[in-house]
Each structure stands twice: as structure tokens, then as C-alpha cells.
């Protein structure tokens, strides 16, 4: 583990090296400084606050930030700094990089497994954490959904060198482990699961990729060309179903014996979906907000918030009731049958839990055609109009 500690300075502006890249004009809070740690292997970096003497405050809340397609940990560096400024003693932020660049082509399942293992390695480094939240952009939201399912109620006591399992003396060790991990994500209390511009319903047809303009011929061609995105392309365009098994994204809206996708998602106290209503050329409004197209709010209902200029609509949905027999079993689903409306089934499954839907509009902004990256403030210099969206995320964040 490489550690880089920046001493307290009077001018509060210094240059910081992360993986040999400069982050210029990093303003530190007056109470101390940020400490940035990253693995020698490059598997992301942690950011936390330390006092002037270099002592950490033992934060209890771990935030995992996940990049999108062909992204990296640095895509979240602006948001990570803002979270630390707001919650300096409560959180530690880990910007994941186990799925950077072309590694994101390996498929939602492979990348999700990688992220799960990376989260465990972070927990090992920070034994003080008791809570966990995920914040993910674009494809990262699907990767995070897969990862939390792999970590759901997972007994990692043997993987943790600290062995910090504390139980009452009157119960058995086995019962102790059951209690410790019941309803938990890698033994931690799940709090916030937040996605921005994530294609929860995939990219198959129905204007889910606005760049294709809704033309069926273009959408069909894009589906065929999705193989250039590797296994991930097949997952996004729902062309991966074989041997009467449904596509992976459809599998991810229900629990199975092997992996509890919805139980893991349900375990979080809140789930939030930020979605661009226009100008996001890669991810459509309905897929990122988990709505049917006839459920999308009309423009007359939009009202810009005084504090958050680009937030135009906020709504909290109650979970819907879907009986088990309404969700198609693997034996009834064939990727080539055309009898199952994949999009409808994904909506039904995902809305069995409540969501906060935050609709974002960059209309009138000079950066509107960069909406997909602006909603994350991927690069501050060219995506700065999304600052208020990140601030909204921070202000509504539940500790």
C-alpha cells in the first residue's frame, strides 16, 4: 500500500499526485487535510480527512464510487472531494478502478465480481467502517447492482485479518455469524445506493440509446454491433440469453438460489436514480429512471429548484406488489422467443423496491450535449454545470 499524506498548509492550495497525475488547486478544509491512498497495483484510491498531525478520525461510513464504460476512478475525483468537505469525519471515499478502461468490456458479471472483491480489500484496510453506500455512474450502476448481490450476507470473517466479530457469550459462533451478516453487505449496514445515468433496463430499442434517434433499423444495427463492446455489449443489448436462460439484466431483477439480486438492493435504506431527461446521447430517460415511457413526467410539471438549477423533478415511489408467479422463471424465458417483454419485466422487478427519482435537465446550458458526463462532473473543466447535481446528491445523502 502506498500512502501519500499532505501536510497542513497556510494557503490551502497544493498540487497532489495520484497515480502520477496532478490534481491542481485542491482546496483543503481548515481543520486539516486530505489523505489519499492508492494500491501499487492501481486498484483505485481512498480519500479521507486527517488532522494536522496526520491522525485519522476513524470514519464509520464507507462510500464506494464506481465508474462507467471506459471510465476510471478519476471520473469521480470532484464528487469525492465534495463529499469529504461536507462529511470530513464521518466518511471515507473509495474510488474504484478495478474496472477501468477496456476492462469494462468484460461483462456485468465479471466486472461485478471484480468490484465485490475490491470492496472486501477496502474493508480490510479500514476496520472502523460500519456502514456502506454505493454511488455509480452509467454502466457502473449495473456493475454495482451485481457486486452488492455477491456481497449480500457474505461471511467475510475468514477474509478479514482483524477478525473483529463481537458476540454475546450466550450464543454460538455459528449464530453469531448469522446475526452479523444478516441483511448486510459484506458485514456492513447498507445505507445509500445511488446511480446516475445508469441503463437499468438495458439499451435494447425503444429509444433507450437516444443517439440512435429511435430508428428501428439503427437500433437493430447497434444491437448487432454491440459485440464490439465485448460481453458487456451483449448484456446491455440483452442478446446474451442462451439455453432458455434469460439475459443477465433480466436475471438481476429477482432472487435466485445462488444470488440474491433484489434482496441485496432491498437491504439499502434508500435507492436513488438520477436521470437526464434530454441531451444524454448514450442513456435514455426511461431506462435511467426505471419508468415506462408513458410514465415519464410531462414538461409542464417541471420546475427548476432555486438551489439546484438543473434538478427539475423529484419524486419518491412506493414499492409495487409483484407476486412470484408474475416474474417469469428461467424455463419460461428464451432470448429468441419474443414472447416476454424484457423491458416490462425489468420494470416490474426493479419497482418492487422504492426509488427516489431525480430528473435532471441541462437545457439552456452550454454543456447540454455533454449531459451524460455533466451529471457526474466527470471532468470539472468541461462538465462543471453538473456541480449542483453532485451537491444535491451530497445534501440528500443519508449518513
Amino acid at each position: 500500500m502506498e500512502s501519500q499524506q499532505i501536510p497542513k498548509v497556510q494557503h490551502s492550495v497544493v498540487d497532489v499526485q495520484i497515480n502520477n497525475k496532478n490534481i491542481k488547486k485542491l482546496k483543503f478544509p481548515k481543520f486539516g487535510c486530505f489523505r489519499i491512498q492508492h494500491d501499487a497495483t492501481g486498484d483505485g484510491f481512498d480519500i479521507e480527512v486527517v488532522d494536522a498531525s496526520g491522525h485519522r478520525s476513524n470514519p464509520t461510513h464507507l462510500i464506494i464510487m464506481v465508474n462507467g464504460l471506459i471510465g476510471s476512478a478519476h471520473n469521480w475525483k470532484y464528487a469525492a472531494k465534495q463529499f469529504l468537505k461536507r462529511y470530513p469525519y464521518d466518511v471515507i471515499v473509495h474510488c474504484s478502478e478495478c474496472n477501468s478502461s477496456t476492462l469494462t468490456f468484460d461483462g456485468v458479471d465479471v466486472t461485478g465480481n471484480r468490484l465485490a472483491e475490491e470492496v472486501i480489500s477496502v474493508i480490510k484496510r479500514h476496520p472502523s467502517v460500519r456502514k456502506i453506500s454505493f454511488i455509480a455512474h452509467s454502466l457502473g450502476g449495473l456493475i454495482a447492482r451485481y457486486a452488492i448481490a455477491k456481497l449480500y450476507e457474505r461471511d467475510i470473517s475468514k477474509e478479514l485479518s482483524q477478525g473483529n466479530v463481537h458476540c454475546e457469550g450466550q450464543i454460538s459462533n455459528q449464530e453469531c455469524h448469522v446475526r452479523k451478516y444478516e441483511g448486510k453487505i459484506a458485514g456492513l449496514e447498507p445505507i445509500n445506493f445511488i446511480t446516475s445515468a445508469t441503463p437499468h433496463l438495458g439499451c435494447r430499442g425503444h429509444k433507450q440509446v437516444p443517439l440512435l434517434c429511435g430508428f428501428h433499423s439503427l437500433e437493430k444495427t447497434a444491437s448487432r454491433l454491440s459485440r464490439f463492446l465485448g460481453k458487456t455489449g451483449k448484456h446491455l443489448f440483452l442478446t446474451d440469453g442462451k439455453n432458455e436462460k434469460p439475459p443477465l439484466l433480466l436475471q438481476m431483477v429477482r432472487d435466485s438460489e445462488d444470488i440474491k439480486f433484489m434482496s441485496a438492493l432491498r437491504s439499502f435504506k434508500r435507492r436513488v436514480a438520477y436521470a437526464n431527461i434530454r441531451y444524454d446521447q448514450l442513456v435514455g430517460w426511461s431506462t435511467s429512471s426505471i419508468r415506462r415511457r408513458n410514465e415519464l413526467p410531462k414538461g409542464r410539471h417541471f420546475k427548476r429548484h432555486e438551489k439546484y438549477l438543473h434538478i427539475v423533478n423529484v419524486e419518491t415511489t412506493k414499492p409495487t406488489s409483484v407476486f412470484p408467479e408474475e416474474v417469469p422463471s428461467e424455463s419460461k424465458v428464451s432470448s429468441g422467443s419474443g414472447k416476454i417483454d424484457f423491458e416490462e419485466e425489468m420494470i416490474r422487478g426493479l419497482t418492487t423496491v422504492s426509488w427516489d427519482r431525480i430528473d435532471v435537465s441541462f437545457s439552456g446550458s452550454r454543456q447540454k450535449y455533454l449531459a451524460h458526463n455533466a451529471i457526474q462532473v466527470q471532468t470539472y473543466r468541461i462538465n462543471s454545470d453538473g456541480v449542483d447535481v453532485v451537491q444535491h446528491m451530497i445534501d440528500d445523502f443519508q449518513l
Side-chain angles (χ1 to χ4, degrees):
M1 168 73 69
E2 295 181 3
S3 176
Q4 187 169 22
Q5 181 174 326
I6 300 90
K8 186 176 181 180
V9 294
Q10 297 296 322
H11 301 291
S12 73
V13 178
V14 299
D15 289 347
V16 181
Q17 290 282 336
I18 305 179
N19 295 344
N20 297 322
K21 294 183 179 180
N22 280 324
I23 297 179
K24 296 183 177 180
K25 295 183 179 180
L26 181 60
K27 296 183 179 180
F28 294 141
K30 295 180 181 179
F31 44 74
C33 58
F34 294 151
R35 178 165 64 190
I36 302 173
Q37 295 177 305
H38 56 89
D39 293 338
T41 58
D43 290 335
F45 52 86
D46 305 336
I47 307 179
E48 62 182 326
V49 168
V50 296
D51 60 24
S53 61
H55 294 110
R56 53 183 300 198
S57 58
N58 291 324
T60 59
H61 199 143
L62 173 63
I63 301 176
I64 303 294
M65 292 186 166
V66 189
N67 60 270
L69 193 69
I70 323 180
S72 75
H74 294 275
N75 298 153
W76 278 115
K77 67 183 180 184
Y78 172 80
K81 289 186 293 182
Q82 304 314 307
F83 266 92
L84 264 296
K85 289 179 181 179
R86 177 63 180 273
Y87 306 112
Y89 301 117
D90 299 301
V91 307
I92 181 167
V93 180
H94 175 75
C95 297
S96 169
E97 201 172 18
C98 67
N99 296 304
S100 62
S101 189
T102 55
L103 290 176
T104 55
F105 295 166
D106 292 342
V108 173
D109 51 354
V110 174
T111 53
N113 278 317
R114 279 199 205 114
L115 177 60
E117 295 306 313
E118 184 180 17
V119 169
I120 291 175
S121 69
V122 176
I123 296 173
K124 288 180 180 179
R125 296 199 297 268
H126 303 284
S128 66
V129 296
R130 296 292 178 265
K131 302 176 182 179
I132 189 168
S133 293
F134 286 77
I135 302 177
H137 177 248
S138 194
L139 174 67
L142 298 177
I143 295 172
R145 278 175 48 199
Y146 195 97
I148 63 173
K150 297 295 290 186
L151 295 170
Y152 180 66
E153 296 188 339
R154 177 170 168 178
D155 183 349
I156 63 171
S157 58
K158 295 180 180 179
E159 302 170 59
L160 297 178
S161 59
Q162 293 82 8
N164 54 353
V165 180
H166 302 288
C167 299
E168 300 175 3
Q170 297 180 351
I171 65 175
S172 66
N173 288 335
Q174 182 176 2
E175 186 178 356
C176 170
H177 284 297
V178 172
R179 289 187 184 183
K180 178 176 176 63
Y181 295 101
E182 185 177 3
K184 302 290 183 66
I185 300 296
L188 304 181
E189 181 183 1
I191 308 295
N192 306 273
F193 188 87
I194 303 172
T195 64
S196 62
T198 287
H200 288 286
L201 311 179
C203 302
R204 179 171 172 170
H206 296 160
K207 300 182 180 180
Q208 301 295 26
V209 182
L211 182 64
L212 304 177
C213 304
F215 293 123
H216 179 70
S217 58
L218 291 179
E219 291 175 345
K220 191 173 181 180
T221 300
S223 180
R224 292 173 178 171
L225 295 178
S226 64
R227 65 180 182 273
F228 291 111
L229 299 178
K231 191 178 178 182
T232 296
K234 294 181 178 180
H235 288 159
L236 288 174
F237 283 87
L238 310 177
T239 59
D240 57 303
K242 293 182 179 179
N243 300 322
E244 296 191 351
K245 281 192 174 183
L248 179 62
L249 294 193
L250 188 56
Q251 296 178 47
M252 288 172 59
V253 301
R254 61 173 180 267
D255 288 349
S256 68
E257 292 183 3
D258 299 327
I259 186 166
K260 309 295 183 183
F261 290 110
M262 290 308 299
S263 291
L265 195 56
R266 189 175 291 109
S267 69
F268 285 80
K269 286 190 175 180
R270 60 191 294 262
R271 291 149 297 278
V272 188
Y274 286 82
N276 285 309
I277 68 172
R278 293 183 64 189
Y279 301 113
D280 188 326
Q281 303 304 318
L282 300 179
V283 179
W285 185 13
S286 63
T287 188
S288 54
S289 64
I290 317 176
R291 293 184 178 108
R292 300 170 181 86
R293 278 166 299 286
N294 61 6
E295 295 174 338
L296 296 172
K298 303 300 181 182
R300 63 178 179 273
H301 299 303
F302 295 149
K303 184 178 180 180
R304 293 188 183 274
H305 197 283
E306 293 181 2
K307 183 177 180 180
Y308 314 106
L309 180 62
H310 299 105
I311 303 293
V312 296
N313 185 56
V314 178
E315 63 181 49
T316 300
T317 64
K318 295 181 178 180
T320 59
S321 298
V322 176
F323 297 101
E325 58 268 21
E326 293 183 48
V327 179
S329 63
E330 291 184 0
S331 61
K332 294 182 179 180
V333 179
S334 172
S335 62
S337 67
K339 296 180 181 180
I340 299 296
D341 186 335
F342 292 156
E343 186 175 308
E344 177 62 24
E345 295 305 326
M346 285 187 285
I347 292 174
R348 288 187 184 185
L350 289 171
T351 54
T352 57
V353 297
S354 63
W355 288 88
D356 292 342
R357 291 175 174 141
I358 317 296
D359 296 313
V360 178
S361 173
F362 288 102
S363 179
S365 165
R366 290 180 297 177
Q367 301 172 8
K368 61 185 179 183
Y369 293 111
L370 303 174
H372 186 69
N373 295 338
I375 199 172
Q376 180 195 20
V377 191
Q378 189 172 109
T379 302
Y380 183 83
R381 185 174 298 177
I382 60 176
N383 305 133
S384 58
D385 280 2
V387 164
D388 65 306
V389 180
V390 171
Q391 190 59 51
H392 182 276
M393 188 183 299
I394 293 170
D395 290 345
D396 279 12
F397 190 80
Q398 192 171 121
L399 282 177

